[in-house]
Amino acid sequence: MSAPSTPRDEGSPGTESIESGSIIGREPADFDARTVELLPIYQAAGSVLTWGFRVAASLLIIGIAVALVRQEPLARRAEPLPKVVLGLLEGEARRIVDLAIVAMIATPVVTTLVVAIGFLRLRDRLYATLSLVVLAILGTSIAVALLA
Amino acid sequence: MRAVELGVVSAGAAILGSMLGLGGGVFLVPIFTLFFAVDQKIAIGASAIAVVTNSVVGSSVHLRSRFTNLRLAMLLQVATAAGATAGAVIGVYANPRVVNVIFGGVLVYAAVSMAVRRQAATVGEPVDDDRLRLGAVYRDPAAKDPAAPVRYAPQRVPLGLGVSGLAGMLSGMLGVGGGVIQVPAMNLLMRVPVKAAAGTSAFMVGITAVATASVFYAQGKIDPTVVVPAMIGVFVGSQLGSRLTRRIRTQNLVLLFVLILLYLGGSLLLRAAGITLPGQQ
């Protein structure tokens, strides 16, 4: 990765007479390093997606099953989270389905959080910040949805 | 039962979409509104959740293969998520006719861009610098040499951000994933190889659709009797589609896709003009 340093190379056109570290990221090794350091994040994100799906799918199956057994029709309108919780406490099957939908929507959000944490651990401030900004944008729309 | 019909139709859309590496999301709203008389806003809400489902299920594969460029995804996502939030806020109140015109236009654009599809050969291009550290590497099991590393560094980031913002806005207004705009943008404009563009887009699309889905949820536009069949149908369809991929020639699929897009796009435009084609509600 270091620039050639034989005397006749210095100062001649086309050579890297500055340290190669300042020609940022040109070496194949840089590409590889940048990807390899992300491996824990790839794994964490993959786990969140897998588990998020499992939770949402399970809730959906349970909700539909209970609704079928009780012959309770599904709601025509998914309610905000406070009402969902109240409904669940009153044993309404349709609210389980609402919760399944919420779980599905929440999964990419948790994934983004996990990615942000991963970048923080890598001390990659730029991308940690960007991930947190994305989270903030999502957070505002979700907060409105769940609390309205 | 309407739920079963919606589910089957969603599965069909997802099968077709996943065989070409696109979500079927682009079909759901037109089909639901044109053929099942589903309220447009409810159809958009359902489509957004179907897109989230598809993304959640599909991106674990791309992540495992490292096709997804996480840094690029997060960078562009700032623009896409912001665009989607704005687009959804506008779209949830917008006149359905206006939305039909926009949607019809997007479908026709998608048809044309698919018909004219070019792919940029981007492997091995030297880059001046990669200050944003977007450069990444992956290995393609389907390539001639599966062990050969493919290195690339996304270029023209400001342009990419602009296009992502636009894709986000459309996503928010129409309930689509946005992949149909983002993948070509990443590939042709930003010089990202197709597999990485597709993998990154598949990951991003879910996050974008969350913004759309939340806004529509807040406005009471999430109807489980429509959303649940759509979610299940799209899930089943994309599983089937990825298995069927090898059996069918891509050219025929592309032709079919283009024809369907033109038909649906044209129908939406006509609908906005007050014309309902035979066979539609």
Side-chain angles (χ1 to χ4, degrees), chain B residues 248-270:
Chain B
I248 305 185
R249 276 227 197 112
T250 315
Q251 295 149 299
N252 298 337
L253 275 184
V254 170
L255 181 61
L256 181 61
F257 220 82
V258 167
L259 290 175
I260 295 178
L261 286 173
L262 287 175
Y263 171 66
L264 292 175
S267 300
L268 286 177
L269 291 170
L270 287 172

Side-chain angles (χ1 to χ4, degrees), chain A residues 29-40:
Chain A
D30 294 327
F31 289 71
D32 296 358
R34 259 175 235 152
T35 303
V36 164
E37 70 182 352
L38 293 182
L39 286 181

Side-chain angles (χ1 to χ4, degrees), chain A residues 48-49 52-53 101-115 134-135 138 142, chain B residues 51-53 55-56 59 74 203-211:
Chain A
V48 171
L49 289 170
F53 173 74
I101 294 174
V102 169
M104 190 60 86
I105 296 178
T107 302
V109 181
V110 178
T111 307
T112 307
L113 177 62
V114 158
V115 170
V134 172
L135 211 48
L138 291 179
I142 291 171
Chain B
V51 168
V52 173
T53 307
S55 171
V56 167
S59 25
M74 286 298 127
F203 180 76
M204 285 178 67
V205 141
I207 301 174
T208 312
V210 164

Side-chain angles (χ1 to χ4, degrees), chain B residues 18-204:
Chain B
S18 70
M19 286 200 281
L20 282 169
L22 292 171
V26 126
F27 293 144
L28 288 189
V29 171
I31 294 179
F32 284 9
T33 54
L34 291 170
F35 295 98
F36 293 92
V38 174
D39 172 76
Q40 189 194 70
K41 307 307 176 192
I42 289 182
I44 293 175
S47 173
I49 295 181
V51 168
V52 173
T53 307
N54 221 3
S55 171
V56 167
V57 172
S59 25
S60 7
V61 178
H62 293 122
L63 285 171
R64 247 180 281 137
S65 312
R66 329 278 177 239
F67 292 150
T68 307
N69 185 326
L70 284 175
R71 288 193 172 96
L72 183 62
M74 286 298 127
L75 175 62
L76 296 181
Q77 200 67 231
V78 174
T80 334
T85 309
V89 166
I90 296 172
V92 81
Y93 294 115
N95 185 325
R97 274 194 178 181
V98 174
V99 174
N100 274 341
V101 170
I102 297 174
F103 214 126
V106 168
L107 290 178
V108 171
Y109 163 80
V112 170
S113 82
M114 283 205 74
V116 185
R117 197 178 243 192
R118 292 166 292 142
Q119 284 184 11
T122 57
V123 179
E125 280 191 19
V127 299
D128 286 330
D129 74 58
D130 189 17
R131 264 172 235 278
L132 293 176
R133 289 172 287 111
L134 291 166
V137 65
Y138 65 89
R139 279 156 185 81
D140 185 356
K144 283 173 209 155
D145 179 6
V150 180
R151 297 185 181 93
Y152 66 95
Q155 307 288 292
R156 289 192 261 180
V157 168
L159 189 57
L161 282 169
V163 174
S164 294
L166 177 66
M169 280 208 71
L170 287 175
S171 180
M173 243 192 283
L174 310 177
V176 299
V180 84
I181 299 173
Q182 286 215 291
V183 172
M186 277 193 262
N187 180 235
L188 298 171
L189 292 176
M190 299 187 76
R191 303 311 214 164
V192 175
V194 170
K195 292 245 159 137
T200 307
S201 172
F203 180 76
M204 285 178 67

Side-chain angles (χ1 to χ4, degrees), chain B residues 202-224:
Chain B
F203 180 76
M204 285 178 67
V205 141
I207 301 174
T208 312
V210 164
T212 310
S214 309
V215 172
F216 277 74
Y217 200 122
Q219 298 304 314
K221 300 297 179 189
I222 301 298
D223 179 341

Side-chain angles (χ1 to χ4, degrees), chain A residues 75-85 87 92 94-95 98-99 101-102 145-146 148, chain B residues 217-218 220 222-224:
Chain A
R76 295 300 295 248
R77 182 186 153 137
E79 298 293 342
L81 200 55
K83 284 199 185 163
V84 170
V85 172
E92 288 178 20
R94 62 180 79 182
R95 298 299 159 223
D98 285 4
L99 199 58
I101 294 174
V102 169
L146 295 186
Chain B
Y217 200 122
I222 301 298
D223 179 341

